[in-house]
Amino acid sequence: MKGASGRIRIIGGQLRNSRLDVPDLPGLRPTPERVRETLFNWLAPVMSGARCLDLCAGTGALGIEALSRGAAGVQFVERDARAAQALRDNLARLKAEGGQVAAVDAQVYLQGTAQPFGLVFLDPPFALDLWTPLAQRLEQGGWLAPSAWIYVESPRQVAPALPASWLPHREGTAGDVRYALYRRVS
């Protein structure tokens, strides 16, 4: 891929060991393999047939990993046109069905007509501090199924203010990253 800075690997499911091209873009920070492996071990009982939203998708590694492991579909939302195109290219090359890419800002996307998702990946660019506003829009805008799972990735020292209905399920740290899985209670 022209302008690619590297490749990352899908670690499980039908696309296991497939590589994703990663464009060289400022602030693009793919979720590390070890973190993805842990997260998808946690999510294994709920992956089959899940409808997912990969908000601030970046490389799309989380959503593509979900498709690889049996998710029914993933809506990818990525504001950077180059990252969105790289994501489309990776989905096409891997013949990963069920993925749709919206090249739009996450906050703008969440102003649209809501469709509830059972699993949401919330991993915005760390420098933009969008966890709380995006979480509020997800919760108040009808984007979450009643018992949705929400994955949140943030800097290790940051504890985002999240809706009270998001109960912590599991969490961990890896390097400078804090990752947590929440379960929504309605």
Side-chain angles (χ1 to χ4, degrees):
M1 174 180 172
K2 186 177 178 185
S5 66
R7 301 185 94 173
I8 56 174
R9 180 176 70 99
I10 297 300
I11 54 173
Q14 293 178 331
L15 300 172
R16 183 181 182 158
N17 291 324
S18 297
R19 302 286 176 173
L20 302 179
D21 292 320
V22 178
D24 184 13
L25 297 171
L28 189 61
R29 179 195 35 76
T31 300
E33 276 189 24
R34 191 183 99 192
V35 172
R36 282 186 283 123
E37 183 173 9
T38 299
L39 170 64
F40 283 95
N41 285 340
W42 294 344
L43 290 171
V46 299
M47 278 312 311
S48 182
R51 288 191 64 248
C52 308
L53 175 61
D54 192 348
L55 205 53
C56 307
T59 64
L62 292 170
I64 293 174
E65 193 79 52
L67 287 172
S68 180
R69 293 170 182 251
V74 177
Q75 175 64 60
F76 297 90
V77 178
E78 174 51 48
R79 70 184 178 129
D80 186 285
R82 294 168 296 172
Q85 187 57 53
L87 180 48
R88 284 187 196 97
D89 293 345
N90 280 323
L91 287 167
R93 182 176 49 78
L94 297 173
K95 297 177 179 60
E97 296 182 14
Q100 301 284 329
V101 180
V104 64
D105 182 84
Q107 294 185 84
V108 172
Y109 180 82
L110 293 178
Q111 291 172 358
T113 303
Q115 27 182 318
F117 290 93
L119 174 58
V120 174
F121 302 107
L122 181 57
D123 180 15
F126 285 7
L128 298 181
D129 193 20
L130 292 173
W131 297 276
T132 300
L134 290 175
Q136 290 171 347
R137 286 183 190 218
L138 285 166
E139 180 64 31
Q140 296 167 0
W143 292 97
L144 301 172
S147 296
W149 294 93
I150 307 101
Y151 169 75
V152 179
E153 192 170 312
S154 62
R156 185 180 201 136
Q157 68 279 11
V158 172
L162 301 172
S165 60
W166 295 14
L167 299 182
H169 179 69
R170 294 204 174 159
E171 66 180 76
T173 58
D176 293 333
V177 173
R178 176 184 176 274
Y179 56 97
L181 184 63
Y182 295 85
R183 182 78 188 261
R184 181 178 188 248
V185 294
S186 51

